[in-house]
Amino acid sequence: MVMYDQKGSSHPLGKVILRMEAGGALLPDGSDNLMEVVGVLKSYGVVLDAYWRNLLYIADRQFLVFFPFFKYFNGKVSLPKLLDHWAHQRINYEFSEYCMKAMLWHGAAKLDAYLDSPAFAERAERAIRAKIKFNPAAGLLHRIFPDFLPEWARQSCYYSVLGQFWRVMSPMFLILSDRYDRGEIRSIPDVVAHIKDGLVEAANLPLTYAVDIRGEHYELIPAEAGLHFLMDAAVPYVEAVFFRSFPFMGTVSYNAQAGQISENQADFNYGALYADPLPIGGSGIPPTLLMQDMKQHLPKYLREYYLGSLRGEEDMRVQICVSFQKSMFCVTTAAMLGLAPYPIDTDGPDQQRANRAYLENWMDRLMHSRLPAFN
């Protein structure tokens, strides 16, 4: 670890550390970066609004539905919607489930501790028995494989938690865009401050989850579980989706003997901050679905910016991915500053030293991300 030096840092990403200590962000400030970040977050906010509504619909209304053929319709099935769905003229909700599964697989410490507790097992069992009361086949399945349906209930909790997280983030990004249009957001640090303030304001929002079955209310995550927005949804989301995630099928070998994937789950670095934007647009790449959704909702100024590039429309998804990664470094900056041991502008030498060590630990993790390319 590099020792603290007020004048500089010998870390390979030392200039990023100094910029953050001076009130900056992981992403350099600049008019193009600002326009890209705000524009892509405007589109992302629109898409997230659809994502969170569907995740909560699945959690609330598709609980233990064994064949949820119409789970992406939010309870409104019609022939025109079916035709649009088959023609892919729709929001690609599969990507939101991909993010949910990343969180489920990597886990969230306090949420997992509750889901492993006897209290959750008892609540889940009551809801399961109510749901399968008139389904003898499901009852037999539950007796033979007693862990199967509780695991399904556990997954439903992750659907709900991610939906609740995005329900806060969506308006946060849309309000950011409105403030930019009014001239209130003039720099990348302004973007970071807006997001940081939003995260702090929502930090203690409780995470709860319940389902209604035949007129009865069954709480699966009650308020007394003590789960809250920032530490039990936002931080695990950043860890699972920004940093770790998992390799995309068809782009990385799954040959464990060849050592092409780490044996240690904690070492996975396939998240949004690390992904190569060039494969975006190819089939089988989950972020392609997100970029396609965002492409449909770009603000006019950002679309024109992309069309003015060398390839224009042909690689717009790749361009959106690059802008999106820039925006996620701004979100990561907000999270880093919010979790720092001391305020980043502290004057105390000991506190400055602790902050420097904290930032260097982050830079160690980000060395092989896309951050060096943006700096």
Side-chain angles (χ1 to χ4, degrees):
M1 185 62 63
V2 181
M3 293 302 294
Y4 178 71
D5 176 359
Q6 285 184 321
K7 297 182 180 180
S9 170
S10 60
H11 193 282
L13 291 175
K15 67 177 182 179
V16 180
I17 293 175
L18 295 180
R19 185 168 65 237
M20 290 189 66
E21 290 177 337
L26 291 171
L27 183 70
D29 194 14
S31 58
D32 283 353
N33 276 347
L34 177 63
M35 180 267 297
E36 286 185 66
V37 165
V38 173
V40 84
L41 286 179
K42 167 68 179 293
S43 174
Y44 190 47
V46 174
V47 173
L48 283 190
D49 184 70
Y51 283 176
W52 77 253
R53 293 177 191 278
N54 183 249
L55 286 172
L56 293 188
Y57 170 77
I58 293 173
D60 297 342
R61 305 297 179 187
Q62 301 287 296
F63 179 71
L64 296 187
V65 174
F66 293 105
F67 301 102
F69 296 116
F70 301 109
K71 64 182 178 180
Y72 297 145
F73 289 78
N74 294 338
K76 300 176 182 178
V77 182
S78 66
L79 181 58
K81 288 193 71 172
L82 276 171
L83 294 177
D84 287 344
H85 186 90
W86 292 331
H88 295 282
Q89 302 298 322
R90 62 183 179 92
I91 291 289
N92 292 287
Y93 295 114
E94 293 90 341
F95 181 77
S96 60
E97 288 191 293
Y98 166 82
C99 293
M100 179 278 298
K101 290 175 181 175
M103 286 188 70
L104 175 67
W105 192 54
H106 289 292
K110 192 172 179 180
L111 174 59
D112 280 352
Y114 168 71
L115 296 178
D116 289 336
S117 70
F120 173 74
E122 182 180 341
R123 289 177 179 276
E125 183 65 21
R126 286 202 300 267
I128 290 168
R129 289 189 179 277
K131 185 69 176 181
I132 67 175
K133 183 176 181 180
F134 301 108
N135 188 335
L140 178 62
L141 175 70
H142 189 45
R143 287 193 295 272
I144 297 175
F145 304 104
D147 294 330
F148 179 69
L149 295 185
E151 184 63 23
W152 203 321
R154 183 191 192 100
Q155 178 174 274
S156 293
C157 292
Y158 269 91
Y159 270 102
S160 181
V161 166
L162 180 54
Q164 292 176 70
F165 170 65
W166 276 342
R167 184 169 59 187
V168 172
M169 300 306 294
S170 172
M172 188 187 301
F173 295 148
L174 296 177
I175 293 171
L176 171 72
S177 175
D178 292 342
R179 294 185 63 200
Y180 175 77
D181 293 341
R182 294 195 299 265
E184 298 173 13
I185 299 294
R186 300 180 180 181
S187 66
I188 290 297
D190 287 347
V191 173
V192 171
H194 172 89
I195 297 172
K196 178 175 174 287
D197 290 345
L199 292 174
V200 170
E201 182 180 355
N204 291 318
L205 288 177
L207 300 173
T208 61
Y209 171 46
V211 293
D212 291 321
I213 303 173
R214 299 185 187 89
E216 296 291 333
H217 195 67
Y218 295 87
E219 286 189 322
L220 293 174
I221 303 179
E224 53 264 33
L227 301 176
H228 297 94
F229 171 85
L230 183 62
M231 296 308 298
D232 304 312
V235 172
Y237 177 84
V238 168
E239 185 70 32
V241 177
F242 285 16
F243 283 91
R244 296 184 186 180
S245 192
F246 32 73
F248 307 142
M249 292 289 288
T251 62
V252 179
S253 170
Y254 278 79
N255 185 344
Q257 287 79 8
Q260 291 172 311
I261 291 182
S262 173
E263 296 180 1
N264 184 0
Q265 184 176 331
D267 290 339
F268 274 39
N269 289 321
Y270 300 100
L273 302 183
Y274 295 80
D276 182 353
L278 290 181
I280 297 300
S283 61
I285 311 298
T288 300
L289 301 174
L290 173 62
M291 302 310 145
Q292 177 64 22
D293 288 340
M294 293 169 65
K295 183 181 177 182
Q296 310 307 317
H297 300 283
L298 293 174
K300 183 179 179 180
Y301 61 81
L302 187 55
R303 181 176 294 276
E304 290 176 350
Y305 176 77
Y306 292 149
L307 290 176
S309 68
L310 182 63
R311 294 186 177 89
E313 180 79 25
E314 293 182 4
D315 73 338
M316 190 174 288
R317 293 187 190 89
V318 176
Q319 297 181 74
I320 293 171
C321 180
V322 172
S323 298
F324 180 70
Q325 287 181 314
K326 290 180 179 181
S327 74
M328 292 302 101
F329 278 113
C330 292
V331 176
T332 303
T333 301
M336 290 171 60
L337 295 179
L339 297 172
Y342 302 100
I344 205 66
D345 58 354
T346 179
D347 293 328
D350 290 341
Q351 295 181 356
Q352 290 176 338
R353 199 171 292 112
N355 280 346
R356 172 66 65 86
Y358 168 80
L359 291 174
E360 287 175 345
N361 281 330
W362 275 96
M363 295 307 138
D364 289 343
R365 293 196 69 184
L366 292 169
M367 275 292 297
H368 303 292
S369 71
R370 291 275 298 162
L371 183 62
F374 295 142
N375 283 274

